[in-house]
């Protein structure tokens, strides 16, 4: 990297760094425009119940295709949206679409299907979050029963003293709360019973070790058993192989989500496949 020193050792103008900064500023501007024009889309990854083989929910995942760069990963544009204060409008867009899809799917299936929306750390910590959530649920009264919010283990533990009561109030109104990326936050299992959560999502890193690491299986079984006793539903995320699916079934994990079952799907494809999951699930279980 070509570095140029100006004045003293404290001020270093790095050409590569400056270019990357400029590119990020421009990308941020295009993200803001795209959001204003509602050009972001939402994909939905099916969540399947292991016992019944039924589709029980879906996770809504934001997607953005930038005119210049093509598809940009959420790992890049979510932090950018956070930094630019765009998360409230991004989340609102995702919530509206998710709510619409959940209504449609629940009606089609004749039973409730919950769509989960990710809530970032910054939003959960923001003092306005409660007001925003209450306003949304007042405007869309059925939303509470067909939506779920996902907050990561780390985010929730950090924000708990302040947001615990608020989440309980939302739960009382019918909203489901899921603890995302569980197993990455180093919180003890004992803390689970104090958390306002209906669901626990076992992180992909957990699932990855299942086939090769016996200790990982012991740990996973302990989490599944404890969650069961606390009436918390366990979802394994990032299920990529037949072996993982089979193990999770014998371990009595409640629900599964992952590429082995389905990639996140655009709305049309999700809708087209709505009724096929029992057969798909049966075929996958037969193979495993
Ligand atoms: P997450 O909430 O943990 O979402 C799961 C991620 O894992 C998704 O990545 C999904 O496509 C991916 N995934 C699902 N199954 C598999 C699998 O079997 N193998 C592998 N390797 N990956 C799998 P995605 O869509 O790229 O999103 C990444 C993260 O970005 C999400 O992690 C979430 O934290 C964040 N994100 C995405 N959309 C939104 C949103 O609308 N709002 C907020 N706040 N965050 C979002
Ligand atoms: Mg998630
Ligand atoms: Mg997750
Ligand atoms: Mg994860």
């Amino acid at each position: 990297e070509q570095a140029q020193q100006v004045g003293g050792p404290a001020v270093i103008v790095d050409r590569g760094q400056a270019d990357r900064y400029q590119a990020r500023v421009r990308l941020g501007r295009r993200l803001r425009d795209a959001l204003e024009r509602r050009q972001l889309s939402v994909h939905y990854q099916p969540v399947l119940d292991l016992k019944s083989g039924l589709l029980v929910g879906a996770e809504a995942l934001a997607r953005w295709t930038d005119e210049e760069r093509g598809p940009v990963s959420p790992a890049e544009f979510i932090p950018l949206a956070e930094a630019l204060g765009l998360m409230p409008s991004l989340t609102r867009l995702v919530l509206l679409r998710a709510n619409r899809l959940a209504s449609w799917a629940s009606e089609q299936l004749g039973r409730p299907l919950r769509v989960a929306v990710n809530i970032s750390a910054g939003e959960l910590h923001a003092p306005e979050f409660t007001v925003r959530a209450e306003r949304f649920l007042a405007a869309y009264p059925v939303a509470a029963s067909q939506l779920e919010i996902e907050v990561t283990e780390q985010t929730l533990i950090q924000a708990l003293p302040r947001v615990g009561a608020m989440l309980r109030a939302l739960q009382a109104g019918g909203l489901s709360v899921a603890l995302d990326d569980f197993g990455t936050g180093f919180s003890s299992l004992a803390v689970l019973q104090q958390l306002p959560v209906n669901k626990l999502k076992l992180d992909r890193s957990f699932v990855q070790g299942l086939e090769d690491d016996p200790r990982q299986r012991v740990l996973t079984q302990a989490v599944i058993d404890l969650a069961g006793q606390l009436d918390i539903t366990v979802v394994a995320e990032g299920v990529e192989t037949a072996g993982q699916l089979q193990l999770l079934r014998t371990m009595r994990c409640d629900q599964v989500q992952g590429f082995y079952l389905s990639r996140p799907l655009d709305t049309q494809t999700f809708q087209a496949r709505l009724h096929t999951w029992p057969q798909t699930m049966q075929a996958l279980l037969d193979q495993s």
Side-chain angles (χ1 to χ4, degrees):
E1 204 78 287
Q2 196 184 352
Q4 182 189 10
Q5 261 185 318
V6 184
V11 187
I12 296 173
V13 179
D14 177 327
R15 189 58 174 284
Q17 220 174 328
D19 286 350
R20 282 193 296 277
Y21 176 77
Q22 280 306 320
R24 195 172 146 86
V25 168
R26 285 195 300 270
L27 190 70
R29 242 177 246 143
R30 298 200 297 274
L31 177 60
R32 187 188 303 272
D33 285 350
L35 258 173
E36 271 166 20
R37 297 184 199 137
R38 305 264 171 276
Q39 281 166 347
L40 268 71
S41 62
V42 181
H43 282 196
Y44 302 90
Q45 188 173 33
V47 177
L48 297 151
D49 183 79
L50 267 176
K51 222 184 271 169
S52 65
L54 293 176
L55 177 75
V56 283
E59 177 170 5
L61 296 157
R63 293 289 178 261
W64 177 40
T65 302
D66 174 46
E67 292 159 352
E68 270 176 46
R69 287 225 351 230
V72 183
S73 161
E76 187 173 358
F77 73 76
I78 296 290
L80 190 56
E82 290 237 33
L84 296 173
L86 299 172
M87 280 315 284
S89 71
L90 189 147
T91 300
R92 191 173 165 77
L93 181 145
V94 178
L95 279 169
L96 287 168
R97 304 250 175 101
N99 192 42
R100 200 184 335 157
L101 184 77
S103 296
W104 178 85
S106 300
E107 191 175 318
Q108 289 286 314
L109 291 168
R111 60 184 168 83
L113 187 119
R114 270 199 203 263
V115 180
V117 174
N118 292 283
I119 303 294
S120 68
E123 285 183 286
L124 196 72
H125 285 99
E128 310 84 57
F129 182 78
T130 317
V131 181
R132 279 196 205 112
E134 279 166 359
R135 216 179 276 156
F136 187 88
L137 294 174
Y140 302 92
V142 289
S145 65
Q146 56 196 28
L147 291 180
E148 180 165 82
I149 56 172
E150 290 193 7
V151 294
T152 68
E153 182 186 8
Q154 272 140 331
T155 302
L156 183 57
I157 305 273
Q158 283 168 17
L160 197 59
R162 230 182 33 74
V163 305
M166 183 252 305
L167 288 179
R168 278 181 219 287
L170 292 174
Q171 282 180 314
L175 191 75
S176 176
V177 179
L179 195 58
D180 204 359
D181 301 347
F182 184 81
T184 60
F186 307 105
S187 60
S188 79
L189 273 182
V191 85
L192 256 187
Q193 60 153 334
Q194 297 158 31
L195 299 178
V197 295
N198 304 85
K199 211 182 227 191
L200 186 157
K201 300 193 77 173
L202 277 181
D203 192 64
R204 176 154 60 91
S205 58
F206 238 76
V207 175
Q208 266 167 351
L210 279 184
E211 285 170 288
D212 302 324
D213 186 351
R215 288 170 306 176
Q216 192 75 326
R217 285 201 290 278
V218 173
L219 196 57
T220 305
Q221 188 68 70
V223 172
I224 291 171
D225 292 346
L226 180 67
Q229 281 168 24
L230 296 171
D231 260 328
I232 297 172
T233 303
V234 180
V235 189
E237 22 174 33
V239 178
E240 291 182 350
T241 68
Q244 289 165 353
L245 181 64
Q246 191 50 50
L247 275 170
L248 289 160
R249 189 154 77 133
T250 54
M251 298 171 97
R252 301 194 179 284
C253 181
D254 300 302
Q255 301 173 357
V256 283
Q257 176 184 350
F259 291 170
Y260 185 64
L261 304 137
S262 172
R263 299 236 159 206
L265 306 169
D266 61 53
T267 309
Q268 269 200 326
T269 311
F270 185 88
Q271 292 182 323
R273 294 191 191 164
L274 188 74
H275 295 288
T276 64
W277 293 108
Q279 296 97 284
T280 305
M281 191 67 172
Q282 195 53 56
L284 291 174
L285 286 172
D286 288 346
Q287 278 166 40
S288 68

